[in-house]
Amino acid sequence: MIDKQLLSILVCPVTKASLEYDRERDELVCYASGLAYPVRDGIPVMLESEARELSSEEKEQGRKR
């Protein structure tokens, strides 16, 4: 679980866009860059090299929001 105050100040290091927390995968998702950053032991890992690329379906879901 990510603290809402922390989430409000974190941005994607690639695009500087806002992030959404995905509880199921424990990731911070940036639809602008198409990347999902892992959260390990409650700590967001905000490194592009550690991020997972979103699938086409995930990107499409983000556009609908």
Side-chain angles (χ1 to χ4, degrees), residues 41-64:
D41 298 321
I43 301 170
V45 181
M46 304 302 296
L47 299 171
E48 185 178 2
S49 62
E50 293 288 320
R52 170 181 76 78
E53 191 167 335
L54 298 177
S55 69
S56 316
E57 292 172 353
E58 290 171 311
K59 289 178 188 177
E60 186 62 34
Q61 287 176 349
R63 287 188 193 108
K64 292 179 182 178

Side-chain angles (χ1 to χ4, degrees), residues 25-48:
R25 292 188 170 202
D26 205 19
E27 296 176 324
L28 295 176
V29 179
C30 176
Y31 293 105
S33 66
L35 297 172
Y37 299 91
V39 177
R40 296 189 185 126
D41 298 321
I43 301 170
V45 181
M46 304 302 296
L47 299 171
E48 185 178 2

